[in-house]
Amino acid sequence: MIRATAALALLATCSVAVADGPRARELGVPFEGTPGALDAITDVAGVTVGQVTLIEDLPGGRKVRTGVTAVLPRGRQSLDTPAYGAWFPLNGNGEMTGSAWLEESGQLEGPVMLTNTYSVGVVRDAVIAWRIRAGAADSSGYWWSLPVVAETWDGDLNDINGFHVRPEHAWQALDQAKGGQVVEGNVGGGTGMSCHEFKCGIGTSSRSTMVGDRKYMLGALVQANYGTRETLRIAGVPVGQDIPVSDSANTAPPHGDSGSIIVVLATDAPLLPTQLKRVAKRASLALGRMGSFAGNGSGDMFIAFSTANAAAVNGGSFVQLESLGNDYLDPLFIAAVQATEEAIVNAMVAARDMHGQDGHFTPALPHDRLVELLKRYGRYAPPP
Amino acid sequence: MIRATAALALLATCSVAVADGPRARELGVPFEGTPGALDAITDVAGVTVGQVTLIEDLPGGRKVRTGVTAVLPRGRQSLDTPAYGAWFPLNGNGEMTGSAWLEESGQLEGPVMLTNTYSVGVVRDAVIAWRIRAGAADSSGYWWSLPVVAETWDGDLNDINGFHVRPEHAWQALDQAKGGQVVEGNVGGGTGMSCHEFKCGIGTSSRSTMVGDRKYMLGALVQANYGTRETLRIAGVPVGQDIPVSDSANTAPPHGDSGSIIVVLATDAPLLPTQLKRVAKRASLALGRMGSFAGNGSGDMFIAFSTANAAAVNGGSFVQLESLGNDYLDPLFIAAVQATEEAIVNAMVAARDMHGQDGHFTPALPHDRLVELLKRYGRYAPPP
Amino acid sequence: MIRATAALALLATCSVAVADGPRARELGVPFEGTPGALDAITDVAGVTVGQVTLIEDLPGGRKVRTGVTAVLPRGRQSLDTPAYGAWFPLNGNGEMTGSAWLEESGQLEGPVMLTNTYSVGVVRDAVIAWRIRAGAADSSGYWWSLPVVAETWDGDLNDINGFHVRPEHAWQALDQAKGGQVVEGNVGGGTGMSCHEFKCGIGTSSRSTMVGDRKYMLGALVQANYGTRETLRIAGVPVGQDIPVSDSANTAPPHGDSGSIIVVLATDAPLLPTQLKRVAKRASLALGRMGSFAGNGSGDMFIAFSTANAAAVNGGSFVQLESLGNDYLDPLFIAAVQATEEAIVNAMVAARDMHGQDGHFTPALPHDRLVELLKRYGRYAPPP
Amino acid sequence: MIRATAALALLATCSVAVADGPRARELGVPFEGTPGALDAITDVAGVTVGQVTLIEDLPGGRKVRTGVTAVLPRGRQSLDTPAYGAWFPLNGNGEMTGSAWLEESGQLEGPVMLTNTYSVGVVRDAVIAWRIRAGAADSSGYWWSLPVVAETWDGDLNDINGFHVRPEHAWQALDQAKGGQVVEGNVGGGTGMSCHEFKCGIGTSSRSTMVGDRKYMLGALVQANYGTRETLRIAGVPVGQDIPVSDSANTAPPHGDSGSIIVVLATDAPLLPTQLKRVAKRASLALGRMGSFAGNGSGDMFIAFSTANAAAVNGGSFVQLESLGNDYLDPLFIAAVQATEEAIVNAMVAARDMHGQDGHFTPALPHDRLVELLKRYGRYAPPP
């Protein structure tokens, strides 16, 4: 069994490797809009991300390729202060625990956790236990009792039947969550994931936008594991048609668009829950740009939250809050589409070739061929 | 064809007659909670109600028994200021135009109109025309272009195939809307309606409630046309079992629970759209108290709005608003159940016997027998 | 830590005790409709129920009062054959994992598991593990990977922070599930639950009904933990007003309607997923009859499934199935209201006084006083 | 006022003009998948389309540029036989009457009507009146009483405040509906519509697809009126960036993405209502491909129906039907994305320059520049 220390060691190694590679826009992929300083969900002030990556070859040929990613809307302050939130399932072939209360209350009470399909339960209960360990729960006793945990399925590369994620891994992800750069690719909950039959995983991006005379940030983080090769489009270029699977070295069995993608959208714009649901829905349009058809087997689920209105969400019977008029939301809708699109491409660009369970191999998207195709289709945007 | 003047004359007559009768609690029906001064939706400050009643016997045996009821969240100010709102369809066998935008925006932009099933369209377009007549529309040009119009089916007593509601009737209901007492029973959109196979129609009620140290009002207005006799319960008393249809003089053909009920809930509590949806849902529990099973043919649809936060809803890009914490909503949930329950019973108590189309006759709930049953089952609450 | 064997022993003891008591209709509570032979969800052919009850006083004053209840739509055949299904959250302050896929697919793929709030995760992953142990998963590898697990909160009487439910308990509940009589009250997932501030837990009931010339069964099983005393109505009798909490010996802290109720509805009628959602919604009306206002803190969630169409649900690309016309569903809607209502009252009648965590005590509904009230309000129905 | 005969004459003229132009794939736009014989929604056997186009310059400078499009799922048989159906609102800033019953029942009972925003009501009631004129309604009396009518806003080019659509226009569209070729562009409900700030209107397309060894057809018809220029992508080519509005001759005021699009999807595949909702949702992904961000002001609403299972939908209490396993739906999901994408581009390609109300002018997409851009970006697909 993997011990936490081993997992941490692997995480460190992995981070360095991944951080060395270029991101999508550095390769010349043209994106619209203006990213934040880090081009990451952590550009939204207060948002922290923690990731635990489990990569280990066990006796008996079992390959551990999985992990946990934690997104805390308000960092440690998330312990005591919820955030307005909402979700939207484009295709509900997946799990997002806590979604019923998120929908009903309009509040995200705690972190968003991402892991593999078979480990949702252990991570969920671990979040409650972590909150209890942190001190007395709220007076009602219910706070943090309906954690949000979402998943995608990594059973091609990971020994998913081995249930390798343990409570400690969730606790580490929570404890280590921090702002700043976010490691992308084969990391955290995304460790064993694939997109469009290329290796994939965690990706992130952000957009800075103006609503009236106010500046707001919107960030996206995806755990991407969806899509068939054939339909893949990047910046409008039919990459999937030009790099067919027959041209790649995939050895995992094909199973159509049965992967799933979780999109986490964060913003500091003071949106109401109804408005955040609208923002979450826009992730669908980014998937459309990528060529997804949201296959039957794909759990395409999106969650959005706002870090504004901390006092209101955490308040008493009578609270005061801020919001934006519906007529002024378009910049945020556009930002949601753009940031999700770039986060997905970032996940594909950052991911690395992976050998895993049952001799399966999933290759990364070849950077050189992507650049070549961008140029051939007149879409290459030279990095600055 | 009925001319507007005729309709007005009839309305006046009808109002007087109805206003003379007792209301449910005056008969001794026990209700929970504390009503507002009028025990009507108009106890919520600013809410106005206008009703046009069309009762006429036309040549050829056609019986007109229908009308229009208008509820304006902010009276004439509704022309320029929306209200936060939400809806919930317990059983969607009905129409509520405008519900998609209500759901998406969280705003009720204009009045709630109630009429018969075949006249939803004429009333809907008439609301837009009325707004255009009132002066230049907003700069966007869209305001009031998705009116909320709901219906129940009065084809047993009314010559519904005659399409007797005309734009002028909607305009009159809007023009005449006012605060104060609300006529109940065979009036407005409820003119030809029946509940539990007794004559029914429009009913209203309100509850005054405390949330923390603040006092809020919640009002209900129903256009009630649902239910089978057998399952009718009033204040827990099995009235339907003790006054079977075979004991009444009904001559309309029985068709099970295929009537429908529209419930309009208004409050001055500063609720967000997500919270108003929760309030709307609670009307379901009042129907449960009445013995409804929400039959396949019954369009049971509920809408709730808040008159608070006028500046926010009508505001610019950045707005400030007030709300209540979710943990403090129970008094409003209880009020919604209680006010809806009483509004339904009020509609039944206020309604009068009606002869209509095709020789159909629907008797009113006999007050004396209701009182007798309340006493027999130990539920009689002597009026003050 | 509780071992499985201890739990089983306790279960056996508990069952006998509970089985000895009268059920609600044996006390004289009047219900509508015709129950099945057992008046239980297991009257629906094929449905099996397994329950593991954990009651133990641990060193340090920790009181274990919790458990797991498993409902298998098709008994052991549930391993390989889904059932059409749907859910409806009246108030989403709760968890029902698997609901997104249930909603999307219209299929219930596996059992419905009930437990306490903090143990949803462990039970969820345990269901997947149990399926893996049972043999090779389906070729897609996804089957049973999104289990349905719902919960209510037993932290008043149970040491919920102790996380006493373990995978073995879920496996036992699944392994031991069988048809026949269902133990009610302080058992399984309902062990530590309370309703209307009386001790409560698991309850069940069924209705036999005719649709056209065909006979169908509908059964309900509830894990009931909702409601305030004041609003409690049984068969229309205001029990809560006549037996106030001040008259009971409750020592757990009051916290309004923050309990939750899970309703599981099963039928052999061949309903489509859209139709099953409609059936699930009708549980709301039963809660209305009981006096519930679906408080903010109450996770009131309902799930319905059909055991018909086994070949279709489990079929290939092209399948043939049976259904009922929407116009003919009313008997099933009525049955859903009636069976849910009786299941709740059965849970209250079967439950026994319980001492638990932190010295909390929750008394059972006193049978003698219930009978006295039924008689006083003219609602006593002498048992045959 | 426009008389019906005038409208018909205009329709004929318009049709000829439009039918003369090339369709998108004839210009060289590359699309995926295999279209049906007509590449139109009428490739789905039984589906008929009727359109009434109102183009007239009235005294006082009022410009009539509007109309009605009717889609009948089963042609004249739609009078007596519903179809399984479902809808999905990506952004609910629009109206689709009848959607509540469509959602609840899973059945589309009658035609889908498309018109302008202010004429939804007149068309809705006219559909009921048309059914009544066609003979005795069904025994329940409710059939066709909740018509589906959707809209987009043509107030830039059309004198929308003039309410020029009359019941006769709806009746004509219904009476004249037929199979075969469907006129696209400035026609029917799409007469005055614009997309991405180019003239737009009605467009259609279809896909032939295999599910297992069975061949199914899926067709799309759109009334397209959404989108900003800047984000327009056609086949991945950034057309909107390369043909900015400043380069066009638009004189209507810009108002962002506040247009709306209605997508009607028809298939002969035997899908259940839950499955049709999933198909409808996929239209979102086609909008993503086109560059839409579903602006706040855009009512993006999709409806899908199946012509299969006629006997079941129209049946008695017990019915037999066919369906497809969820695991086999991907070909239909892909077809929905592809057919919607092509229908939108067809609408843009077929539309012609239009002068309208208040001197507004909206230019058509210039075919030569589109071809030039397709070539520049390596996406030109020479027509056969």
Side-chain angles (χ1 to χ4, degrees):
Chain A
M1 192 56 64
I2 297 175
R3 282 168 309 131
T5 48
L8 290 175
L10 286 159
L11 174 60
T13 313
C14 183
S15 305
V16 173
V18 173
D20 283 348
R23 302 183 74 192
R25 61 174 62 223
E26 292 167 332
L27 284 184
V29 182
F31 292 110
E32 302 152 11
T34 305
L38 300 168
D39 197 10
I41 196 170
T42 44
D43 284 323
V44 179
V47 174
T48 60
V49 176
Q51 307 199 71
V52 169
T53 304
L54 306 177
I55 298 178
E56 188 168 358
D57 293 357
L58 297 180
R62 294 191 301 163
K63 310 292 184 185
V64 182
R65 305 284 187 270
T66 195
V68 179
T69 295
V71 180
L72 281 80
R74 306 184 189 278
R76 294 293 293 190
Q77 200 190 342
S78 307
L79 275 165
D80 298 308
T81 307
Y84 284 126
W87 80 308
F88 173 70
L90 175 64
N91 192 53
N93 200 332
E95 182 63 75
M96 187 181 283
T97 68
S99 52
W101 182 227
L102 181 64
E103 173 83 16
E104 186 79 39
S105 69
Q107 299 189 0
L108 171 61
E109 300 178 348
V112 178
M113 307 294 287
L114 308 176
T115 188
N116 78 60
T117 309
Y118 291 8
S119 300
V120 164
V122 62
V123 171
R124 177 200 180 274
D125 293 355
V127 170
I128 299 176
W130 187 78
R131 181 62 184 82
I132 292 171
R133 289 194 315 164
D138 68 314
S139 61
S140 72
Y142 305 134
W143 241 92
W144 279 64
S145 68
L146 299 169
V148 173
V149 186
E151 51 69 48
T152 60
W153 189 83
D154 55 17
D156 279 333
L157 293 168
N158 177 44
D159 173 32
I160 191 168
N161 287 357
F163 295 90
H164 298 292
V165 176
R166 297 165 58 89
E168 305 88 84
H169 302 133
W171 298 336
Q172 288 165 26
L174 288 163
D175 285 333
Q176 297 166 9
K178 60 183 197 317
Q181 284 192 308
V182 175
V183 183
E184 297 176 309
N186 305 357
V187 64
T191 301
M193 305 300 166
S194 305
C195 288
H196 294 284
E197 304 174 66
F198 284 122
K199 187 67 191 67
C200 203
I202 298 294
T204 191
S205 180
S206 70
R207 287 296 180 275
S208 175
T209 190
M210 299 295 295
V211 177
D213 60 353
R214 289 166 188 260
K215 193 174 181 174
Y216 294 113
M217 186 65 66
L218 182 144
L221 182 144
V222 301
Q223 179 169 308
N225 190 43
Y226 76 98
T228 56
R229 178 68 57 81
E230 194 178 9
T231 67
L232 173 62
R233 295 180 180 190
I234 294 181
V237 173
V239 175
Q241 291 175 17
D242 285 328
I243 315 180
V245 173
S246 56
D247 233 32
S248 302
N250 299 57
T251 62
H255 35 63
D257 189 7
S258 56
S260 302
I261 177 168
I262 305 300
V263 180
V264 183
L265 295 169
T267 184
D268 56 8
L271 302 185
L272 300 183
T274 34
Q275 297 174 324
L276 288 161
K277 180 180 272 289
R278 304 179 76 191
V279 168
K281 267 189 174 177
R282 268 62 191 176
S284 311
L285 297 162
L287 281 173
R289 291 181 172 202
M290 300 298 301
S292 167
F293 56 90
N296 171 69
S298 193
D300 300 343
M301 296 179 164
F302 319 136
I303 183 169
F305 62 82
S306 164
T307 59
N309 287 313
V313 181
N314 200 25
S317 61
F318 184 81
V319 297
Q320 291 182 292
L321 58 151
E322 301 172 341
S323 184
L324 302 179
N326 280 325
D327 287 344
Y328 300 85
L329 298 183
D330 280 358
L332 292 160
F333 290 172
I334 295 172
V337 178
Q338 293 173 348
T340 304
E341 181 188 25
E342 184 170 354
I344 295 170
V345 184
N346 275 340
M348 297 181 75
V349 165
R352 294 290 174 269
D353 291 354
M354 183 175 274
H355 292 270
Q357 185 71 9
D358 298 328
H360 293 158
F361 171 74
T362 303
L365 171 67
H367 293 186
D368 52 349
R369 296 197 61 185
L370 174 59
V371 172
E372 175 200 323
L373 289 172
L374 290 167
K375 289 179 177 167
R376 188 196 310 168
Y377 286 97
R379 294 289 280 155
Y380 178 71
Chain B
M1 193 55 64
I2 298 175
R3 283 168 305 132
T5 48
L8 291 175
L10 286 159
L11 173 62
T13 314
C14 183
S15 305
V16 174
V18 172
D20 282 349
R23 302 182 76 191
R25 61 174 61 223
E26 292 167 332
L27 284 184
V29 181
F31 293 111
E32 303 151 9
T34 306
L38 300 168
D39 197 9
I41 195 170
T42 43
D43 283 322
V44 180
V47 175
T48 61
V49 175
Q51 307 200 70
V52 169
T53 305
L54 306 177
I55 299 178
E56 188 167 358
D57 293 357
L58 296 180
R62 295 192 300 164
K63 310 293 185 186
V64 182
R65 306 285 186 270
T66 194
V68 180
T69 295
V71 180
L72 282 79
R74 305 184 189 279
R76 296 292 294 190
Q77 199 191 343
S78 307
L79 275 166
D80 298 307
T81 306
Y84 284 126
W87 81 307
F88 174 70
L90 175 64
N91 191 51
N93 201 332
E95 183 63 75
M96 187 181 284
T97 69
S99 52
W101 182 227
L102 181 63
E103 173 83 16
E104 185 79 40
S105 69
Q107 299 190 1
L108 171 61
E109 302 179 347
V112 178
M113 308 293 288
L114 308 175
T115 188
N116 78 59
T117 309
Y118 292 8
S119 299
V120 164
V122 63
V123 171
R124 177 200 180 273
D125 293 354
V127 170
I128 298 175
W130 187 77
R131 181 62 186 80
I132 292 171
R133 289 194 317 166
D138 68 315
S139 61
S140 73
Y142 306 134
W143 240 92
W144 280 63
S145 68
L146 298 169
V148 173
V149 186
E151 51 70 49
T152 60
W153 189 84
D154 55 17
D156 279 335
L157 293 169
N158 176 45
D159 173 32
I160 191 168
N161 288 356
F163 295 89
H164 298 292
V165 175
R166 296 166 57 88
E168 306 87 85
H169 302 133
W171 299 336
Q172 287 165 26
L174 287 163
D175 285 333
Q176 297 167 8
K178 59 183 199 317
Q181 284 192 309
V182 175
V183 183
E184 297 177 309
N186 306 356
V187 64
T191 301
M193 305 299 166
S194 304
C195 288
H196 294 284
E197 305 173 66
F198 285 121
K199 187 68 191 67
C200 202
I202 299 294
T204 190
S205 181
S206 70
R207 288 297 180 275
S208 175
T209 190
M210 298 297 293
V211 177
D213 59 353
R214 290 167 188 260
K215 193 174 181 174
Y216 294 113
M217 187 65 66
L218 182 143
L221 182 143
V222 301
Q223 179 169 307
N225 190 43
Y226 76 97
T228 55
R229 178 67 58 83
E230 194 178 11
T231 66
L232 173 62
R233 295 180 179 190
I234 294 181
V237 172
V239 174
Q241 290 175 19
D242 284 328
I243 315 181
V245 174
S246 57
D247 232 33
S248 302
N250 299 57
T251 63
H255 36 63
D257 189 6
S258 57
S260 303
I261 177 168
I262 305 299
V263 179
V264 183
L265 295 169
T267 185
D268 54 8
L271 302 186
L272 300 184
T274 33
Q275 296 174 324
L276 287 161
K277 181 180 272 288
R278 304 178 76 190
V279 168
K281 267 189 174 176
R282 268 62 191 176
S284 312
L285 297 162
L287 281 173
R289 291 182 173 199
M290 301 298 301
S292 167
F293 56 90
N296 170 68
S298 194
D300 299 343
M301 295 177 166
F302 320 135
I303 183 170
F305 61 82
S306 164
T307 59
N309 287 313
V313 182
N314 201 27
S317 60
F318 184 82
V319 298
Q320 292 182 290
L321 59 152
E322 300 172 340
S323 184
L324 303 179
N326 280 326
D327 286 345
Y328 300 85
L329 298 183
D330 280 359
L332 292 160
F333 290 172
I334 296 172
V337 178
Q338 292 173 348
T340 303
E341 180 188 27
E342 183 170 355
I344 296 170
V345 183
N346 276 340
M348 298 182 74
V349 165
R352 294 291 174 268
D353 292 355
M354 183 175 275
H355 292 270
Q357 186 71 9
D358 299 328
H360 294 158
F361 171 74
T362 303
L365 171 66
H367 293 186
D368 53 349
R369 296 198 58 186
L370 174 60
V371 171
E372 176 199 324
L373 288 172
L374 289 167
K375 289 179 176 165
R376 188 198 309 168
Y377 287 96
R379 293 289 281 154
Y380 178 72
Chain C
M1 191 57 63
I2 297 175
R3 282 170 306 131
T5 48
L8 291 177
L10 287 158
L11 173 61
T13 314
C14 184
S15 305
V16 173
V18 173
D20 282 348
R23 303 182 74 192
R25 61 175 61 221
E26 292 167 333
L27 284 184
V29 181
F31 293 110
E32 301 151 10
T34 307
L38 300 168
D39 198 8
I41 196 170
T42 42
D43 283 323
V44 180
V47 175
T48 61
V49 176
Q51 307 199 70
V52 168
T53 304
L54 306 178
I55 299 178
E56 187 168 358
D57 293 357
L58 296 181
R62 295 191 300 165
K63 310 292 186 187
V64 182
R65 305 284 187 270
T66 194
V68 179
T69 296
V71 179
L72 282 79
R74 305 184 190 278
R76 294 292 295 190
Q77 199 190 343
S78 306
L79 275 165
D80 298 306
T81 307
Y84 284 126
W87 80 307
F88 173 70
L90 175 65
N91 191 53
N93 201 331
E95 182 63 74
M96 187 182 285
T97 68
S99 52
W101 182 227
L102 182 64
E103 174 83 16
E104 185 79 39
S105 69
Q107 299 190 359
L108 170 61
E109 300 179 347
V112 178
M113 308 294 287
L114 308 175
T115 188
N116 78 60
T117 308
Y118 292 6
S119 300
V120 164
V122 62
V123 171
R124 178 201 179 272
D125 293 354
V127 171
I128 298 176
W130 187 77
R131 180 62 185 81
I132 292 171
R133 291 193 314 165
D138 68 313
S139 60
S140 73
Y142 306 133
W143 242 91
W144 280 63
S145 67
L146 299 169
V148 173
V149 186
E151 51 69 49
T152 61
W153 190 83
D154 55 17
D156 279 335
L157 294 169
N158 177 45
D159 173 32
I160 191 168
N161 288 356
F163 296 89
H164 299 293
V165 175
R166 297 166 56 89
E168 306 85 86
H169 302 132
W171 299 335
Q172 287 164 27
L174 288 163
D175 285 333
Q176 297 166 9
K178 60 182 199 318
Q181 283 193 309
V182 175
V183 183
E184 297 177 308
N186 305 358
V187 64
T191 301
M193 306 299 165
S194 303
C195 288
H196 294 284
E197 305 173 67
F198 285 122
K199 186 69 190 65
C200 203
I202 299 293
T204 191
S205 179
S206 70
R207 287 297 180 274
S208 174
T209 190
M210 298 296 295
V211 177
D213 59 353
R214 291 167 187 259
K215 193 173 181 176
Y216 294 112
M217 186 65 65
L218 183 144
L221 181 145
V222 302
Q223 179 169 308
N225 190 43
Y226 76 98
T228 55
R229 177 68 57 83
E230 194 177 12
T231 67
L232 173 62
R233 295 180 180 189
I234 294 181
V237 172
V239 175
Q241 292 175 15
D242 284 329
I243 314 181
V245 173
S246 57
D247 233 32
S248 301
N250 299 56
T251 63
H255 36 63
D257 189 6
S258 56
S260 303
I261 178 169
I262 306 298
V263 180
V264 183
L265 295 169
T267 184
D268 55 8
L271 301 185
L272 300 184
T274 34
Q275 297 175 323
L276 288 162
K277 180 178 271 289
R278 304 179 75 190
V279 168
K281 267 188 173 178
R282 268 62 193 176
S284 312
L285 298 161
L287 281 172
R289 291 182 172 198
M290 300 298 302
S292 167
F293 57 90
N296 170 68
S298 193
D300 299 343
M301 295 177 166
F302 319 135
I303 183 171
F305 61 82
S306 164
T307 58
N309 287 312
V313 181
N314 201 25
S317 61
F318 184 83
V319 298
Q320 291 183 291
L321 58 153
E322 300 171 342
S323 183
L324 302 179
N326 279 326
D327 287 344
Y328 299 85
L329 297 183
D330 280 359
L332 292 160
F333 291 172
I334 296 172
V337 178
Q338 293 172 347
T340 304
E341 180 188 27
E342 184 170 355
I344 296 170
V345 184
N346 275 340
M348 299 182 73
V349 166
R352 294 290 174 269
D353 292 356
M354 184 176 274
H355 292 270
Q357 186 69 11
D358 298 328
H360 294 158
F361 171 74
T362 303
L365 170 66
H367 292 187
D368 53 349
R369 295 198 58 186
L370 174 59
V371 172
E372 175 199 324
L373 289 171
L374 289 167
K375 288 179 177 168
R376 189 198 310 167
Y377 286 98
R379 293 289 281 155
Y380 178 72
Chain D
M1 192 54 66
I2 297 176
R3 283 169 305 134
T5 48
L8 291 176
L10 287 159
L11 172 61
T13 313
C14 183
S15 305
V16 173
V18 171
D20 282 349
R23 303 182 75 192
R25 61 174 63 221
E26 292 166 334
L27 284 183
V29 181
F31 293 110
E32 302 151 10
T34 306
L38 300 168
D39 197 9
I41 196 171
T42 43
D43 283 323
V44 179
V47 174
T48 62
V49 176
Q51 306 200 69
V52 168
T53 305
L54 305 178
I55 299 179
E56 188 167 357
D57 292 357
L58 295 181
R62 295 192 299 164
K63 311 292 185 187
V64 181
R65 306 284 187 270
T66 195
V68 179
T69 295
V71 180
L72 282 79
R74 305 184 190 278
R76 296 293 294 190
Q77 200 191 342
S78 306
L79 275 165
D80 298 308
T81 307
Y84 284 126
W87 80 308
F88 174 71
L90 175 65
N91 191 52
N93 200 330
E95 182 63 75
M96 187 182 284
T97 68
S99 52
W101 183 227
L102 181 63
E103 173 84 15
E104 186 80 39
S105 70
Q107 299 192 0
L108 170 62
E109 301 179 348
V112 178
M113 307 294 287
L114 308 176
T115 187
N116 78 60
T117 309
Y118 291 9
S119 299
V120 164
V122 62
V123 171
R124 177 200 180 272
D125 293 355
V127 170
I128 299 176
W130 187 77
R131 181 61 186 82
I132 292 171
R133 289 194 317 164
D138 68 314
S139 60
S140 72
Y142 305 133
W143 241 91
W144 279 64
S145 67
L146 299 168
V148 172
V149 187
E151 51 68 51
T152 61
W153 190 82
D154 55 17
D156 279 334
L157 294 169
N158 177 46
D159 174 33
I160 192 169
N161 287 357
F163 295 89
H164 298 292
V165 175
R166 296 166 56 88
E168 307 85 86
H169 301 132
W171 298 336
Q172 287 164 28
L174 288 164
D175 286 332
Q176 297 165 10
K178 60 181 198 319
Q181 285 192 306
V182 175
V183 183
E184 297 176 308
N186 305 357
V187 64
T191 301
M193 305 300 166
S194 304
C195 287
H196 294 284
E197 304 173 68
F198 285 122
K199 186 69 190 65
C200 205
I202 299 294
T204 191
S205 180
S206 70
R207 287 297 180 275
S208 175
T209 191
M210 299 296 295
V211 177
D213 59 353
R214 289 167 188 259
K215 194 174 181 176
Y216 294 112
M217 186 66 65
L218 182 144
L221 182 144
V222 301
Q223 179 169 307
N225 190 44
Y226 76 98
T228 55
R229 177 69 56 83
E230 194 178 10
T231 66
L232 173 62
R233 296 181 180 189
I234 294 181
V237 173
V239 175
Q241 291 176 17
D242 283 329
I243 315 180
V245 173
S246 57
D247 232 33
S248 302
N250 299 56
T251 63
H255 36 62
D257 189 8
S258 56
S260 302
I261 178 169
I262 305 298
V263 179
V264 183
L265 296 169
T267 185
D268 55 7
L271 302 185
L272 300 183
T274 33
Q275 297 175 323
L276 288 161
K277 180 179 273 288
R278 304 179 76 191
V279 168
K281 267 188 173 177
R282 268 61 191 176
S284 311
L285 298 162
L287 281 171
R289 291 182 172 199
M290 300 297 302
S292 167
F293 56 89
N296 170 67
S298 193
D300 300 342
M301 294 177 166
F302 319 135
I303 182 170
F305 61 81
S306 164
T307 59
N309 286 314
V313 181
N314 201 26
S317 60
F318 184 82
V319 298
Q320 291 183 291
L321 59 151
E322 300 171 341
S323 183
L324 303 179
N326 279 325
D327 287 343
Y328 300 85
L329 297 183
D330 281 359
L332 293 160
F333 290 173
I334 296 172
V337 178
Q338 293 172 347
T340 303
E341 179 188 28
E342 184 170 353
I344 295 170
V345 184
N346 275 341
M348 298 183 73
V349 166
R352 294 290 173 269
D353 291 356
M354 183 175 274
H355 292 269
Q357 186 71 10
D358 298 329
H360 293 158
F361 171 74
T362 303
L365 170 66
H367 292 187
D368 52 350
R369 296 197 60 186
L370 174 59
V371 172
E372 177 200 321
L373 289 171
L374 290 167
K375 289 179 177 167
R376 188 197 310 166
Y377 286 97
R379 293 290 279 154
Y380 177 72

